[in-house]
Amino acid sequence: MSRRHQYHQPNAPDSPSVTSDSDIELDYGELGSKDDNDEDEDNASSSWDQNTPGTRIPLRNLRATRTREFGIQPDDDAYRDSEPAGVLCHSSGGRDLDGTLQDSAPLLATSNGSTSSRKSPAENLRRSSLRIAKFFSSTPGDHPSSSLEAQDSSLPGPSRNITIGQDPPPRFPPNAVSNAKYTAWSFLPRTLYNEFSFFFNMYFLLVALSQLIPPLRIGYVSTYVLPLVFVLSITLGKEAVDDITRRRRDAEANKGSYTILRLRDPTSTAKRKDKRKDRIGKENPTRSGRGNRSSSYPNRLDVIEEEEEILDHNWKESKPAIEVDELSIRSRDIKVGDIVKLGKDQRVPADLVILKSSAADSGPNVLPFSPRQESLPLSSNGHSSESPLVSPVPTTEASLESGNLPGRIEAGGTGEAFLRTDQLDGETDWKLRLASPLTQSLEPWEFSRLRIVAGRPSKKVNEFVGTIEWMPRLDPQNIGGAQQDRSSQKAMTAPLTIDNTAWANTVLASNVTVLAVVVYTGAQTRQAMSTTPPRSKTGLLDCEINDLTKILCALTLTLSIILVALEGFENREEMKWYVAITRFLILFSTIIPISLRVNLDMGKSVYAWFIERDQGIPGTAVRTSTIPEELGRIEYLLSDKTGTLTRNEMELKKIHVGTVSYANEAMDEVSSYVREGFVTGPADDVLQPSALVTPSLSLRNPSAGNQTTRTRREIGSRVRDLVLALALCHNVTPTAEEEDGQSFTTYQASSPDEIAIVRWTEQVGLRLVHRDRKSITLQSVETSRVVVRARILEIFPFTSEGKRMGTILQFLQGEASATPSLDDAGEIWFYQKGADTVMTSIVAANDWLDEETANMAREGFRTLVVGRRKLSAQQYRDFSAMYKEASLSLQNRDARSARVVKEHLESSLELLGVTGVEDKLQKDVKPSLELLRNAGIKIWMLTGDKVETARCVAVSAKLVSRTQYIHTITKLTPETPAASALDALSLLRSKPDSTALLIDGDSLSYFLSHHRWEFVSVAVLLPAVIACRCSPTQKADVAYLIRQFTKKRVACIGDGGNDVSMIQAADVGVGIVGKEGRQASLAADFSITSFHHLTKLLVWHGRNSYKRSAKLAQFIIHRGLIISVCQTIYSIAARYEPNALYRDWLLVGYATVYTMAPVFSLVLDKDVDEGLASLYPELYKELTHGQSLSYRTFFVWVAISIYQGSIIQGLSQLLVDSVDSPQMVSVSFTVLVINELIMVACEVVTWHRFMVASLLGTIAIYIGSIPFLGGYFDLAYVWSLAFAWRVAAISAISLIPPYSVKILRRTLKPPSYRKVQGI
């Protein structure tokens, strides 16, 4: 079924990006010249009557449509499917009124189309939007270009046209979070491909398939097929369980409940149903059919007539009863065009454009409105008879900025909302977001007349371009009439920027109710597009074992060829030489034991079980159970900052006023100074008005009396001035909230630093009680009296380039109870605070600032230098005039404004003091980072936060030691000369061990683009790297680059949605379940609840997992290799015949019930206890060199296997004096089993009860099964003394020499774990 209001043409193209090619808007510019566009609009109304007779318009250029006044979809799906594309009617502004959402609409609405050089008598058609249904087109698929399409072609990509309240087309993705690796269709192909990409799996597949060929068959086919099927079932089952677990967690996240507003018109639904029933009842069913073309037209014209009647009826109704319903739906069910209602601390479910923001206690009215609530009726000239609702001139961006909005829109102002975006971009500062002035004052039911044009989906979280259009009501009496003032019908359009958006995975921080429309969902959100798709991860141990099996396969092939060659290629009569070689390959296939994968996969499950049930790291979850050994091989750790290393909770810990500093308990003295300076009346007489305090008054406040020394009064005056400056110079807004019947005040600001400072001023006695864009009021905490009132004349917000913020205030004088006139003259002061790097040159000369800021920086505090300057009225007027002139500049506006501020204000400021704000660290971050460094792990901190913030956290968390120099590289751009950029790396190259690197996002991007390998070759040598202002994509690129360059294991840890890409790009991804969500946790391989749990996860569980798997893998290779050596000795003795020594059950039982349990019990072994592993993290450092499983250790085990296999089979044949007899097989096989069990016992370092039970149980099982092995053994011989002494002698000769060499080597060169144990 075609989309609503649109008929399908068989020959029409099906491209989703050109959804309306077959019914394109009429381009009236084709009918008139360019000069016609400039004609007077007053003549336009009469041009239709004068020129219509001479007009010849191709019907394929026209289409009809129905007027959609409110943009509300009918509820009757059957009607939607059957109604025609539209009727001839009047609409506004070239808008596509079919209610669909298109991805090819222009970003900016245009009033004039493209023009042609040919004039047309139908110039008046430019003023209307006449269309004809596309079924009248005589040439389907032939659609000439319109101005709209021409404009689209110039766009960088397709955009989308969103009519609020409409169902989106199905091509928009669902709003669902998905961290799953597979789908139902891709699971088997992808997992089987991954499995058979391992050489030994492919090897055993070929061996199993070879048993289908009769000449190559050796024993039962099931002997080779069933183990392979079992191995694949175990592996695929683990992958399926892991992916199902991810899907279940995704389903939990997608079940989050959200409130949406559903707009509907109940009257139109009922009327359309009745009309349809009446029309269907009158129709003749024989008139339908494709062959009767002439009879089909009346049906369609009847439908058009029906729509005209319905529309005419709707127009003549006084007011349609639009209803606004609140519905609670799941997050995954949210669609593009839905209006979402959000409250404080609620996570944004999709990418939104904010329409309205209001105080939470007086949220927007969403009840069905009465007719009186609608806009006032328009008079004949298009204006409201009382107050104008729409402007006769289209609203421009300039008019919006200047506040020149019509009627209610101007009165409404703009709504504000603060967002926490640390889970999206890693920045700790809250972001101020605004509703468009065009929509802020609209009621929810009026949103049905809004249309949004948004750019194509993008992963740029700091960019957005779009427009919003508000369509006015039309007078039903003058549809298409000449008397109506057409200018009143023009839509009002406003631009949309990043300031009007709320991206998915951010959190609404302010206590407001926000109404916002969904523009992007699911995979098209900024957060999802910044996330790399999950990949199947393979451990380094698996890759190393895969390489070893290739060596074993080469040995097997070589041995097979040698055995055939010894007899001669031409001397074989029973079979061809190549058949003999293949049979030998199959016989020696046990060299590459298929049970290796089974044991390793089962071992990984055991490790995951240990991790999840460790009470020392509660809440830890293993989401990828195939790579626990990777935790023991980490050499690079990439960590997020906010929420991972820090709590994002700021606290002012220290102030310095030039001669003395205050911290901890000394803050009580600060409180006493504040009480003395701001208690302006008797505390017990609440009726007596208090006098307002100004900076000058606080200098000479008589309440301090003469009881203190002059030095104390001076210090007290400095402290009070600093506290007053901190209480006034900020962008914090107090809001009143109520919880459990208790009222309290919370603070909202873009920066948590400012909130921390304002909270501190309240603790010491000066409370912020009111602040808006024009005034600020402070209150004494002790007396609850207003003590400071000031007008805000100018605000200079903080920027990354300026690194400072300031404000100009005019203090009001007199009594607080009075309402001073704003014209009263008052003191004017300029306050400024900022980073010490920029404030040093702004404040007056002093001898203590540099030293004190350096001391605070060493303590890890975020320092702010505070200064002030008094301005005369004339000075302020001069500045204001120059600043206003600069702000109106069209070129270099920011630079000119900054220059004016610098020349008039930022010089010789009075230095008031320095503050030190601490960003609270997560629990035990400092000792955890120190332990990881001692374990040989290089730590990188990648954050989206500011450079100064990252530097302070790196110092306070001890990521950078006191002895290390921090080399800073910032502000490199593509225009930077290559020589200059490479010089910045020269210092790092000269002192890599004692230098840490601090680099910003722009410089990092420059190096990754232009000097990729030069940068990474130096950076990987450094003990610590701090990268600031990093995007999620940059974090992932850094992780991938380190992996690619070093071939080392990289772990990434984070807690936010902006860390998901980095986590998925790492060899091991660790997610922290944070306060703000579980996105990182769900996408990670391992989930923990706190950063300090990472040390135990790596140093204890990671080390054990790797060492156990390495020992288990080598022992299983030894077990398979020794039986292959026995087969080789037997084949040589049997004159090179490719016959099996151990057949059928003996071959299967040896690798399963007779040896598997004791060998697998090695997964419980440990060389040191947990305390020693944490006390000596250097033990972990040894593992990064891969010494537990290397070519050296591999060939040692090969040598042991060759020795023991030769002794066991050779002596068995010699002592029994038989090559192929049941007696020899019984002796050889029994010694083989006993040898493996004793070898396991020799390898155990710490005994576990399961190890003892497995050994004793396996011996009992073997002895108990001997009576059932009569088909392979000589049972009478087995119970004889001759059998016993032969078994004992051969076992001693095969075991004692290797164990003696091991004891000697351990004595001469003890391993590290024996050194720390003191053994």
Side-chain angles (χ1 to χ4, degrees), residues 636 940 981-982 985-986 988-989 997 1003-1022 1037-1048:
Y636 291 91
W940 292 36
L982 295 176
L985 299 176
S986 59
L988 300 174
R989 200 182 302 274
L997 172 62
S1003 303
L1004 179 62
S1005 178
Y1006 173 83
F1007 280 119
L1008 295 181
S1009 301
H1010 297 85
H1011 307 288
R1012 192 179 188 89
W1013 298 112
E1014 292 86 346
F1015 170 75
V1016 71
S1017 62
V1018 176
V1020 295
L1021 303 176
L1022 305 177
D1037 289 344
V1038 169
Y1040 176 77
L1041 184 62
I1042 297 175
R1043 288 176 47 220
Q1044 187 181 29
F1045 181 82
T1046 64
K1047 309 300 181 184
K1048 305 295 185 181

Side-chain angles (χ1 to χ4, degrees), residues 20 110 205 297 349 416 448 455 475 492 520 592 641 671 720 814 876 1065:
S20 60
T110 58
L205 176 63
Y297 276 100
E416 298 181 354
S448 60
D475 188 351
M492 290 186 295
Y520 307 109
I592 309 173
K641 180 187 72 68
S671 301
R720 290 191 297 271
Y876 173 71

Side-chain angles (χ1 to χ4, degrees), residues 965-1080:
Y965 166 73
I966 300 179
H967 182 60
T968 304
I969 301 177
T970 58
K971 298 181 180 179
L972 295 184
T973 63
E975 291 76 22
T976 302
S980 176
L982 295 176
D983 288 343
L985 299 176
S986 59
L987 178 62
L988 300 174
R989 200 182 302 274
S990 61
K991 298 180 180 179
D993 296 331
S994 59
T995 307
L997 172 62
L998 176 62
I999 186 171
D1000 66 354
D1002 293 338
S1003 303
L1004 179 62
S1005 178
Y1006 173 83
F1007 280 119
L1008 295 181
S1009 301
H1010 297 85
H1011 307 288
R1012 192 179 188 89
W1013 298 112
E1014 292 86 346
F1015 170 75
V1016 71
S1017 62
V1018 176
V1020 295
L1021 303 176
L1022 305 177
V1025 176
I1026 304 103
C1028 320
R1029 295 294 188 188
C1030 286
S1031 66
T1033 304
Q1034 282 182 321
K1035 292 182 178 182
D1037 289 344
V1038 169
Y1040 176 77
L1041 184 62
I1042 297 175
R1043 288 176 47 220
Q1044 187 181 29
F1045 181 82
T1046 64
K1047 309 300 181 184
K1048 305 295 185 181
R1049 300 292 96 179
V1050 177
C1052 293
I1053 182 170
D1055 74 316
N1058 61 315
D1059 303 318
V1060 171
S1061 294
M1062 174 180 70
I1063 287 173
Q1064 293 177 341
D1067 296 298
V1068 177
V1070 183
I1072 297 180
V1073 181
K1075 296 184 298 183
E1076 303 298 345
R1078 303 177 60 186
Q1079 289 79 9

Side-chain angles (χ1 to χ4, degrees), residues 181-497:
K181 295 181 180 178
Y182 312 102
T183 64
W185 301 104
S186 67
F187 175 74
L188 279 179
R190 289 184 60 186
T191 52
L192 290 177
Y193 174 81
N194 292 334
E195 288 304 307
F196 288 114
S197 62
F198 286 100
F199 174 79
F200 53 89
N201 280 344
M202 181 59 69
Y203 176 81
F204 280 109
L205 176 63
L206 296 176
V207 170
L209 293 177
S210 70
Q211 297 306 291
L212 301 177
I213 304 174
L216 302 180
R217 186 174 300 163
I218 301 175
Y220 298 118
V221 177
S222 58
T223 304
Y224 299 90
V225 175
L226 291 181
L228 178 63
V229 173
F230 179 70
V231 169
L232 294 178
S233 300
I234 292 293
T235 305
L236 267 63
K238 284 170 57 62
E239 284 289 322
V241 169
D242 289 346
D243 212 51
I244 290 173
T245 303
R246 293 188 194 97
R247 288 186 175 273
R248 287 176 178 173
R249 292 192 171 93
D250 289 343
E252 293 177 4
N254 293 327
K255 286 181 181 178
S257 179
Y258 287 88
T259 299
I260 69 166
L261 305 187
R262 187 60 52 83
L263 311 179
R264 62 188 180 90
D265 184 358
T267 59
S268 62
T269 302
K271 291 169 185 172
R272 284 168 181 160
K273 288 182 179 179
D274 294 341
K275 286 282 184 180
R276 174 49 58 190
K277 289 180 181 179
D278 294 341
R279 190 69 64 184
I280 293 175
K282 296 178 182 179
E283 286 180 351
N284 184 356
T286 61
R287 294 172 60 187
S288 61
R290 184 173 300 182
N292 189 0
R293 180 178 180 87
S294 62
S295 64
S296 64
Y297 276 100
N299 278 340
R300 294 178 175 176
L301 293 176
D302 286 346
V303 172
I304 296 176
E305 180 183 354
E306 171 196 336
E307 274 216 16
E308 288 178 338
E309 294 175 3
I310 294 173
L311 292 174
D312 183 66
H313 182 75
N314 287 341
W315 275 115
K316 292 181 179 179
E317 285 187 342
S318 58
K319 304 294 180 297
I322 301 282
E323 292 188 358
V324 183
D325 298 331
E326 284 194 7
L327 303 178
S328 180
I329 65 173
R330 296 178 302 175
S331 173
R332 67 174 301 122
D333 297 328
I334 294 175
K335 302 185 296 295
V336 172
D338 283 347
I339 302 173
V340 182
K341 181 180 179 182
L342 297 174
K344 183 181 180 183
D345 293 330
Q346 198 167 7
R347 182 169 298 281
V348 178
D351 284 359
L352 312 176
V353 167
I354 298 175
L355 301 177
K356 188 180 183 71
S357 175
S358 57
D361 54 354
S362 60
N365 178 23
V366 293
L367 298 176
F369 72 93
S370 64
R372 292 176 302 168
Q373 290 177 288
E374 201 182 356
S375 59
L376 296 174
L378 297 174
S379 63
S380 59
N381 61 359
H383 295 283
S384 171
S385 57
E386 296 185 23
S387 60
L389 177 61
V390 294
S391 173
V393 180
T395 305
T396 62
E397 182 176 355
S399 64
L400 290 173
E401 291 178 353
S402 62
N404 185 20
L405 290 173
R408 296 185 291 121
I409 300 177
E410 183 180 4
T414 58
E416 298 181 354
F418 282 101
L419 297 179
R420 291 198 296 268
T421 64
D422 53 308
Q423 300 293 300
L424 179 68
D425 55 18
E427 296 187 18
T428 57
D429 290 354
W430 292 2
K431 303 297 188 303
L432 176 63
R433 294 293 185 256
L434 305 171
S436 172
L438 191 62
T439 61
Q440 173 61 24
S441 296
L442 298 180
E443 295 297 327
W445 53 265
E446 294 178 285
F447 293 162
S448 60
R449 287 149 63 182
L450 291 174
R451 184 179 70 170
I452 291 177
V453 181
R456 62 176 178 175
S458 170
K459 62 182 179 181
K460 297 180 180 179
V461 297
N462 295 319
E463 295 182 12
F464 177 73
V465 177
T467 60
I468 188 166
E469 185 178 10
W470 189 75
M471 307 303 297
R473 287 291 308 272
L474 299 178
D475 188 351
Q477 304 298 329
N478 293 306
I479 299 179
Q483 300 300 323
Q484 187 172 1
D485 185 355
R486 305 198 53 80
S487 63
S488 65
Q489 301 174 25
K490 297 203 173 183
M492 290 186 295
T493 303
L496 294 175
T497 66

